[in-house]
Structure formats: structure tokens, C-alpha cells
Amino acid sequence: MNFSWLLETDSKSLRSMNGSRRNSGSSLVSSSSASSNLSHLEEDTWILWGRIVNEWEDVRKKKEKQLKDLVRKGVPHHFRAIVWQLLCNAQNMPIKDQYSELLKMTSPCEKLIRRDIARTYPEHDFFKEKDSLGQEVLFNVMKAYSLVDREVGYCQGSAFIVGLLLMQMPEEEAFCVFVKLMQDYRLRELFKPSMAELGLCMYQFEFMIQEQLPDLHMHFQAQSFHTSMYASSWFLTIFLTSFPLPVATRIFDIFMCEGLEIVFRVGLAILQMNQTELIQLDMEGMLQHFQRVIPHQLDSGPDKVILAAYQVKYNAKKMKKLEKEYTTIKTKEMEEQVEIKRLRTENRLLKQRIDTLEKESASLADRLIQGQVTRAQEAEENYLVKRELATVKQQSEEASAQLEQAQKTMRQLQQQQQPHAKGAPRYSEESVLQLEKELVQARLNEAESQCALKEMQDKVLEMGKRNTSLPDDTNVARLQEELIGVKLREAEALTGLKELRQQVRDLEEHWQRHLARTAGRWKDSPKKNTLSELQDELMSVRLREAEAQAELRETRQRMLEMETQNQIHSNQLRRAEQESRCLQECVQTLTVQNKDLHMQLQEIKRRQAEIECKSKEEVMAVRLREADNIAAMAELQQQISELEIQKEEGKVQGQLNHTDSSQYIRDLKDQIAELKHEICCLKGQRGLANPPTFDGIHIVNHYVRDDRSYQSSDEDGVKDPILQDSQQRSGGRIRLRPNLPDTDSEEDEEDDEALRLSVPPSSKSTTV
């Protein structure tokens, strides 16, 4: 590239340029930094860049391509600060005045920034010492930006870019340049919490690999080696963490001039240079190759990789297209995520409802099982009570038999006392022994009866407690028969009890009378006294036996009552089980109905969707038919205007030829009236809610075809089947005479045959 317009070979010009450079206000272009041992080429480069800096606006506008080439060759170290500010237009930013105020404020990201300061360029002399000047200014710039852009705040990768800027310029200028980079160079989108721009860069870079390095892309796919695993740091730090600092700085020069395009180019160039080695490695080997081998390949300098980078194909239009595709894909993914969230919410609600129904079902099953167990226990207890009741009945029958035997004995004794009342009583020893045996037996029976009575009372109390715990039956209609039976048994028991008590009272009265009669007669001899005592004791035993019999009957009565209540509660339990089964059947029926209704709802929705589609299709068909009708009406109006013109021409010709044209004019008027009538019919059809079937397209095509054959012969018109049919249906013909010469009538008839207008009296299509 010829830059003779910038180079001055005259020594006087060179001295004046050096003087201007020494007098420049920029400290980076001062003469103190120049060495006396610089070569001629270096002096030319310094002179060139000094001229560019001094005439920046003109160079940027007029020689932009040459400026890009110079930047690609590298910006001199001492010019980088001012050139970077000029490239990103960060010289006079208003935010520079706010920097000192921002440092006085407190940022929520201060702890994170302090934690990562030591990790930024840990081997560089400017940043490696703790609490050094480099770490302090880096903290200040990162803190100030986190306060300016609270959405981005602080991201670890951005500290490397700020550190590189601080190596070249003071912190205020570095802050302004960093703000400009974040705003104008897509870095802010890269460092947002969502990192959507980084995903876009990965998508575009992967497409470039697939297009230009298909073999390497297939190997990456086979090894599941994603682009973000090695290329994300390239875009976030502009190769500052991947390459040596001199190489990364050269790439950063081009980035300041051209933007992120250089990152795509350099990344693809690196992959091209290492394609052969990468294809032979697995995932772990490729990661180690990117971390250890590739950085050392560029120790010799960046010129090789930059030259290879500009051999890479980069299509800006295709990148824009890929950006649109990526945006579309992400939009669909967001919609799918929203739908997935909605479905998950519905699924969670359905699971909660299922859990609730399962708990209710388990509770009902537990209650049913508990009821069955309780019923089985009660049935077993019922069986035991019935067995005990049978035993008690047997004992009661035995006691009744003994009571009858005792009554017989009492009657015998009474019969024996009657003759002794007249004379002195005489008892034998055998009768005394017999009375003693009966007395012992009666006492034993009495003891057994009392034990049985006590047991039965306990059973009755227990059954009473159980019966009280059972629910009351509210259904009186079902218990009427049981109630009648219970009342009958109760009346019988009461009657028997009354009779028994009356007998006991009679026996007591009889015994008292007997004692009163025989009070002073048995005091004569010991035998008589002993016999009388035995008789008294026997009577007492018999009385107690009678009382025990009465209590036994009362117990039996209570047992009957308890059996009745037990039967009632058994009926209640059976009815409760029936109701439970009915409820379960209802639940199953409702579940089935719910499923059916759900299916019906889905079917109705599907039908509704089909109906909507059909209605849309019908609306479109109606609109098409309306358009066809409008076109047909326009054609008919055009035909009317042509006929009117022909009518006027006919009038003129008739006047010129002095012929009678009244018939011709009447025919034309009739034809015009018929065409207007047909237009009215078409308008009426458009106004209908459900228009009849009308093929307007055929009419238009028919008119076009007729227009083409308007000047053809009559024979050609007859060959057309549609025209022939319309001629057959037409009620009459109208002869047109555009040019009527003064000839005979035969020639007029031949001319009339050459051009005819057929108007069917009642048809939907008109043939001209």
C-alpha cells in the first residue's frame, strides 16, 4: 500500500514533524519516549501514526480502508491509548466527569470484584501484588461501571478487558473506553445475566465451522464437544485469557477498529491450523490441546494467525440471517417453556387432586375394612353370648324343675301338717335325712343360680354399653315388625313376672301363718325343735329360690331386650354397608361419566375447530365469489357501454343512409335492458346471506374468449360449444351494421351474418 501522502523524505520536514510531535499535548507522543537507536522504519511508523493522530478526522473519513490496513499491521505501543480512544470515539464523554462521584458510592458487587481482582492477570507485574496500584485502579473502574449499568453489574470476564485498558491509559480514560465498548461493540449483550448474545455468537460460529470445516464439525459432534466449551472465553475476553498478551493485544487493536468480526475470523483460523491434530483426539485431549498447545503456537507472533484469519470467508449478510434464525429458535423455545410450565402446573394440580382422591379412597377403604372387622367381632361375640344364653336357659329350666319339685314338697309338707295340727307331730329319721339332703341340694342350686345370675348381669351390662355405642336407627318403618315382636315378648315376660311375684307373696303369707300356728308346739323335745328348724330353713331356701327364679326371669327379659337391640343394630350396620356400597358404585359411575364428559368435551373442541376452519373456508369462498361477481358486473357494464356506443353509431349510420333504424335501436335497448337486469340479479346474489352457486370465473373467461372471437366469422363462433349452446338458447339475434354501404338487401343480409350479438333472455352468462 502506498502511503507517500503521509511520508516526508526531506530532513527539514522530518525535523518539523519531530518538533510537532514533541510539542504535542499528548504524553504518549512526546519525544522523551523516543530512542536515538530507532531504525529508519520505526521512525517512519512513528511519523505516520503521529500524522494520523493529528489529522484523525480527515483520515477516518477519507482513508478508512488504509487506516484498517494499518491497524491490522499493529498500533505502536505508545500510540495505543490515544488511538483506542479515537477508534471508539471516547475522547470527550460526559460520564468522565461523574467518575469521581461514582467512586464515592457503594456498589452491591464490591465483594465479588474484590474476590476476582487477584485472579485477573495474576502473573503481570502491574496486578500481581495484593493491594497494589494496579488492583486498586482495576477495582475502581469495575465498581464505577457496576454503578452505571446495574443490569449487567459485574461479570468476571470483563475484568480482563479493563485490565488491558489500564495497561495502556489512566483509569478515567480506561473507564470511558470500557463504557463505549460495552455500549457500541455488543459486549454489554455478551455480559448480561442471560448471555443471549453469547449464545448467538456460538450459534453463528458453529455454523461457520459446519460450513467451512465439515470434517472437524462432525468430529466435534461425535465427541459431544460443544462450541461453548472452548470458544466462549474467546468472545467474552477477546482472546485475553487464551493467548499470550502481545498476541491478544494485536487482536484487540483490530477489534477496536472492526468489532467482533475479528473474533470469528481468528477463531476459525485457529481451528483450521489445528484441524489435523484435533480430529485425532477425544474430548479430554481436545480440551487439553486448547488450553496448553494452542497458546504456545502463537509465541512467535500474531502475524501468522492474523494473515490466516483474513483468508477465512465471512459473509455479513449470512450472519444477519443466522441471527434472525437464532432469534426465531429462541422465541419458539420460550413459547415451549411457557407451555411446559403451564403443563407442569396443570400436572401438579392433577397430581394433588389424585393424591386427595387416593387419600379419600384409602380412608373409605379403611372405614369399610374397619366396619367389616367390627362386624365380624360383633358376630363372634353374638355367637358367644348366644351360647352363654343357651347355657343360662338350660340352668333356668333346671332351676324351674327344682322349683316345681320344691313346690311339690311344700304341698306334701302342708298336707302332712294338717293332720299334725290336730295331734302331736311325729317325724321319722328318714324324713329328716331327706330334708337335709334337699336342703344341701337347694343351697348348691342357689349358689349356682347366683353365679349364673351374676355372669348374666355382667353380660347384660356389657351388651348395654355396646348397644349404646351403636348409632340409633331413624328408619321407623323398617323396625315396626321388630318393635311389635319385642312388645309381645315384653308383655309375656311382665305377665310371668307378676305371676311369679304373686306366688312368692302367697308363699310368704302362708309361711308366716304356719309359723304363727306352730310357734309354741316344737319346744317340747330336741328332735321336734331340730325338725322345725330344718323345715323353716327349707322354707327359707325355697323362698330364696323363688326370688332367684324371679330375678332369673328378669334377667331373661333383659336378655331378650338386648337381643332385640342387637338385632336392630345389626340391621343398621347392614343398611350402612349397603349405603357404602351404593356410594362406591355412585363414585365409580361418576368417574366413568367424568371420563365420558371429558372425551365429549375434547370431541366438541375438535368439531368446533373443524367448524371454524370450514367457516373460514366458506368466508374465503364467498369473498372469491363476490370478487368474481364484481368482475362479471364490470364486464357487463363495459358491454353495455359498447352497445350504447354502437347504438349511437347505428343512429348516425341510419341518419346518414336515410334508412329506418328504429327497429335496430329498439333491439339494442332491449339488449341493454336485459344486461341491466342481469346486473341487478348479480347484485341481488351478492346481498344474499347464502349465495347460490355462481361461477364468475367461467363468465369472465367466456367474455375474454368471446372478445378474442368478436371479429371472427359466424362459422368460427359456431365451433365454440359454449357459444353454440348460447345461440341455441337465445331467443333472437340483433344485427350490427358498423359500416353500412349503399348496397342491395342481399349484401346487407350477408353483412348481418358476419357479426351477431346473442342475448339469452334468462341465463346467468352472456355471450358476445
Side-chain angles (χ1 to χ4, degrees):
M1 187 66 65
N2 187 11
F3 292 99
S4 60
W5 58 279
L6 290 175
L7 298 176
E8 297 289 342
T9 57
D10 192 0
S11 60
K12 186 183 291 186
S13 173
L14 181 60
R15 284 195 301 272
S16 65
M17 182 62 66
N18 288 331
S20 65
R21 193 176 47 180
R22 283 194 300 269
N23 295 328
S24 175
S26 174
S27 62
L28 296 176
V29 204
S30 64
S31 61
S32 61
S33 62
S35 175
S36 61
N37 297 325
L38 288 175
S39 64
H40 181 70
L41 181 61
E42 291 176 344
E43 288 183 358
D44 291 344
T45 305
W46 276 59
I47 294 169
L48 180 63
W49 278 103
R51 182 79 175 273
I52 290 172
V53 169
N54 290 328
E55 301 177 2
W56 177 257
E57 295 297 332
D58 295 336
V59 172
R60 188 68 180 268
K61 292 179 181 178
K62 299 178 181 179
K63 302 293 182 180
E64 185 176 0
K65 186 176 181 181
Q66 291 85 347
L67 179 62
K68 283 185 179 180
D69 293 335
L70 278 176
V71 172
R72 290 174 186 177
K73 292 179 181 179
V75 180
H77 174 70
H78 295 282
F79 284 90
R80 276 203 175 99
I82 187 64
V83 170
W84 284 1
Q85 294 183 52
L86 292 171
L87 284 172
C88 65
N89 196 17
Q91 306 96 312
N92 298 315
M93 292 183 64
I95 199 170
K96 185 177 180 179
D97 300 331
Q98 303 176 9
Y99 183 73
S100 58
E101 298 295 331
L102 292 171
L103 295 182
K104 298 177 183 179
M105 301 170 65
T106 303
S107 172
C109 305
E110 289 184 6
K111 291 183 180 180
L112 296 175
I113 299 171
R114 288 288 185 190
R115 184 192 65 186
D116 294 335
I117 286 295
R119 305 177 188 177
T120 305
Y121 299 112
E123 299 178 358
H124 198 277
D125 296 335
F126 190 54
F127 298 103
K128 67 180 180 180
E129 293 183 5
K130 186 177 181 181
D131 298 331
S132 63
L133 177 62
Q135 291 189 4
E136 190 63 29
V137 294
L138 179 60
F139 173 79
N140 291 339
V141 175
M142 298 306 300
K143 171 186 173 182
Y145 184 79
S146 66
L147 292 169
V148 171
D149 190 354
R150 295 184 179 271
E151 182 181 2
V152 175
Y154 165 72
C155 186
Q156 185 178 2
S158 60
F160 290 93
I161 299 175
V162 176
L164 180 64
L165 296 176
L166 290 171
M167 295 177 195
Q168 312 297 331
M169 61 190 75
E171 56 180 310
E172 291 87 354
E173 285 79 3
F175 173 70
C176 294
V177 172
F178 182 65
V179 171
K180 205 68 177 177
L181 290 177
M182 295 291 283
Q183 292 177 353
D184 298 342
Y185 286 75
R186 294 172 61 184
L187 291 183
R188 185 177 183 275
E189 301 298 326
L190 286 173
F191 290 120
K192 275 186 177 181
S194 62
M195 289 190 173
E197 190 72 16
L198 181 61
L200 172 61
C201 293
M202 295 297 103
Y203 182 76
Q204 293 172 335
F205 190 63
E206 186 175 359
F207 181 82
M208 291 178 67
I209 297 171
Q210 183 179 2
E211 185 179 21
Q212 302 184 27
L213 302 173
D215 296 336
L216 185 61
H217 181 264
M218 292 295 293
H219 180 66
F220 284 168
Q221 293 290 329
Q223 295 293 328
S224 298
F225 192 62
H226 301 290
T227 310
S228 59
M229 297 173 69
Y230 62 91
S232 58
S233 62
W234 295 354
F235 288 90
L236 290 174
T237 62
I238 320 298
F239 298 104
L240 291 172
T241 58
S242 303
F243 295 163
L245 191 59
V247 179
T249 307
R250 282 286 306 279
I251 297 173
F252 201 83
D253 289 339
I254 304 173
F255 169 74
M256 294 292 292
C257 184
E258 301 180 17
L260 279 176
E261 178 182 344
I262 187 61
V263 182
F264 288 98
R265 290 182 176 275
V266 172
L268 205 62
I270 291 169
L271 294 179
Q272 286 178 349
M273 294 165 60
N274 295 271
Q275 181 177 6
T276 306
E277 293 83 359
L278 290 172
I279 289 177
Q280 298 175 359
L281 298 174
D282 58 357
M283 180 189 291
E284 185 176 358
M286 287 188 287
L287 284 174
Q288 294 179 358
H289 190 82
F290 276 105
Q291 294 173 0
R292 299 177 183 178
V293 178
I294 292 178
H296 296 292
Q297 291 178 351
L298 305 177
D299 290 338
S300 59
D303 294 330
K304 180 180 179 181
V305 70
I306 291 176
L307 184 62
Y310 282 98
Q311 301 299 323
V312 173
K313 296 179 181 179
Y314 183 86
N315 191 343
K317 292 182 179 179
K318 188 173 290 185
M319 300 298 277
K320 287 288 184 182
K321 183 179 179 182
L322 291 174
E323 182 178 356
K324 292 181 180 179
E325 290 179 0
Y326 182 78
T327 305
T328 305
I329 291 170
K330 284 299 178 182
T331 304
K332 290 182 180 179
E333 288 180 357
M334 291 296 293
E335 292 176 355
E336 290 176 357
Q337 288 179 359
V338 171
E339 184 67 18
I340 288 170
K341 286 182 181 179
R342 185 183 66 80
L343 293 175
R344 284 178 179 173
T345 304
E346 292 181 358
N347 192 12
R348 187 177 66 254
L349 295 174
L350 290 174
K351 283 183 178 179
Q352 292 177 358
R353 186 177 180 185
I354 289 170
D355 293 337
T356 304
L357 293 174
E358 286 180 352
K359 289 179 181 179
E360 292 179 357
S361 177
S363 177
L364 290 173
D366 292 339
R367 288 173 59 186
L368 180 61
I369 293 170
Q370 188 65 30
Q372 292 177 352
V373 171
T374 306
R375 184 180 177 187
Q377 291 177 355
E378 289 180 354
E380 185 177 359
E381 292 175 358
N382 238 347
Y383 177 71
L384 295 175
V385 169
K386 286 181 179 180
R387 287 183 60 187
E388 293 176 358
L389 183 61
T391 304
V392 171
K393 285 181 179 180
Q394 186 177 0
Q395 292 177 359
S396 177
E397 290 176 356
E398 292 177 356
S400 299
Q402 292 177 1
L403 182 60
E404 291 177 358
Q405 186 67 28
Q407 288 176 355
K408 288 180 181 179
T409 306
M410 288 176 64
R411 284 194 294 273
Q412 290 176 1
L413 288 174
Q414 289 176 0
Q415 290 176 2
Q416 289 177 3
Q417 286 176 1
Q418 288 177 359
H420 285 295
K422 297 179 181 179
R426 294 290 185 269
Y427 299 98
S428 63
E429 295 179 358
E430 294 178 357
S431 61
V432 172
L433 293 174
Q434 182 68 27
L435 289 172
E436 288 178 355
K437 291 179 181 179
E438 291 179 359
L439 179 61
V440 171
Q441 186 67 29
R443 286 180 177 177
L444 291 173
N445 293 333
E446 183 181 4
E448 292 177 356
S449 298
Q450 287 179 355
C451 291
L453 181 62
K454 188 174 182 181
E455 291 178 357
M456 293 303 297
Q457 288 176 351
D458 294 337
K459 293 290 183 182
V460 168
L461 291 174
E462 187 177 356
M463 292 297 293
K465 291 179 181 179
R466 291 178 183 174
N467 290 331
T468 53
S469 64
L470 294 173
D472 296 332
D473 189 8
T474 57
N475 193 354
V476 180
R478 296 182 179 180
L479 298 177
Q480 287 181 353
E481 296 180 358
E482 298 176 2
L483 184 61
I484 292 170
V486 169
K487 288 184 177 180
L488 290 175
R489 288 195 294 272
E490 185 180 3
E492 292 177 357
L494 291 174
T495 304
L497 185 61
K498 288 180 180 179
E499 291 178 356
L500 185 59
R501 288 178 178 176
Q502 184 64 34
Q503 289 180 1
V504 171
R505 285 196 295 273
D506 293 341
L507 286 173
E508 287 179 353
E509 291 176 358
H510 183 69
W511 177 248
Q512 292 296 331
R513 286 196 301 269
H514 175 70
L515 289 177
R517 284 196 302 270
T518 60
R521 294 182 179 177
W522 291 351
K523 296 181 180 180
D524 296 336
S525 62
K527 290 183 178 180
K528 291 181 180 179
N529 292 332
T530 303
L531 183 59
S532 62
E533 290 176 359
L534 289 173
Q535 289 178 352
D536 293 339
E537 190 173 357
L538 179 60
M539 290 298 294
S540 300
V541 167
R542 288 177 178 175
L543 289 172
R544 286 195 296 274
E545 186 178 0
E547 292 176 356
Q549 187 71 22
E551 291 179 359
L552 182 61
R553 289 194 175 182
E554 290 180 358
T555 304
R556 290 177 65 186
Q557 178 62 28
R558 294 182 65 184
M559 284 295 298
L560 291 173
E561 293 176 357
M562 297 303 295
E563 286 178 356
T564 304
Q565 292 180 3
N566 190 12
Q567 186 176 2
I568 291 170
H569 290 304
S570 299
N571 294 332
Q572 290 178 355
L573 183 62
R574 185 174 62 255
R575 286 191 293 273
E577 290 176 354
Q578 291 177 355
E579 291 177 357
S580 177
R581 285 195 297 270
C582 292
L583 289 174
Q584 289 180 353
E585 292 176 356
C586 290
V587 169
Q588 293 177 356
T589 306
L590 291 174
T591 304
V592 174
Q593 290 179 358
N594 191 10
K595 291 181 180 178
D596 295 338
L597 290 174
H598 188 65
M599 295 296 292
Q600 292 178 4
L601 181 60
Q602 291 180 350
E603 182 66 22
I604 289 171
K605 288 182 178 178
R606 185 182 63 79
R607 291 179 180 176
Q608 186 178 3
E610 292 178 355
I611 291 170
E612 289 178 356
C613 293
K614 290 181 180 179
S615 64
K616 290 180 181 179
E617 292 177 357
E618 291 177 356
V619 168
M620 292 301 295
V622 169
R623 290 179 179 176
L624 289 174
R625 287 196 294 271
E626 289 181 354
D628 296 337
N629 291 337
I630 291 170
M633 288 173 60
E635 292 289 337
L636 291 175
Q637 289 176 356
Q638 184 178 1
Q639 294 295 328
I640 290 171
S641 62
E642 291 177 357
L643 290 174
E644 288 178 350
I645 292 170
Q646 291 175 6
K647 183 182 74 172
E648 296 297 329
E649 290 177 354
K651 287 182 180 180
V652 173
Q653 290 292 335
Q655 291 175 1
L656 291 174
N657 297 327
H658 300 285
T659 59
D660 186 10
S661 61
S662 61
Q663 182 63 32
Y664 173 73
I665 293 171
R666 282 195 299 273
D667 293 338
L668 287 177
K669 286 183 179 180
D670 294 338
Q671 190 172 0
I672 291 169
E674 289 176 357
L675 290 174
K676 287 183 178 181
H677 177 69
E678 188 170 356
I679 290 172
C680 293
C681 293
L682 288 174
K683 289 182 179 180
Q685 289 178 358
R686 285 184 58 195
L688 293 176
N690 294 322
T693 305
F694 182 78
D695 197 353
I697 298 175
H698 292 171
I699 293 174
V700 175
N701 294 334
H702 189 58
Y703 286 154
V704 172
R705 184 169 62 249
D706 291 339
D707 290 337
R708 289 197 301 267
S709 61
Y710 185 75
Q711 295 178 355
S712 63
S713 63
D714 191 46
E715 294 177 357
D716 295 336
V718 174
K719 289 179 181 180
D720 191 353
I722 301 173
L723 183 61
Q724 187 176 2
D725 181 65
S726 63
Q727 288 174 355
Q728 290 175 1
R729 290 178 294 171
S730 62
R733 298 182 182 272
I734 298 173
R735 300 176 180 177
L736 300 178
R737 300 183 181 89
N739 294 315
L740 294 177
D742 193 3
T743 57
D744 297 331
S745 61
E746 293 180 358
E747 294 178 355
D748 293 341
E749 290 177 359
E750 291 177 357
D751 292 334
D752 293 341
E753 289 292 327
L755 184 62
R756 296 179 179 180
L757 177 64
S758 299
V759 182
S762 60
S763 63
K764 293 184 179 180
S765 62
T766 305
T767 304
V768 179

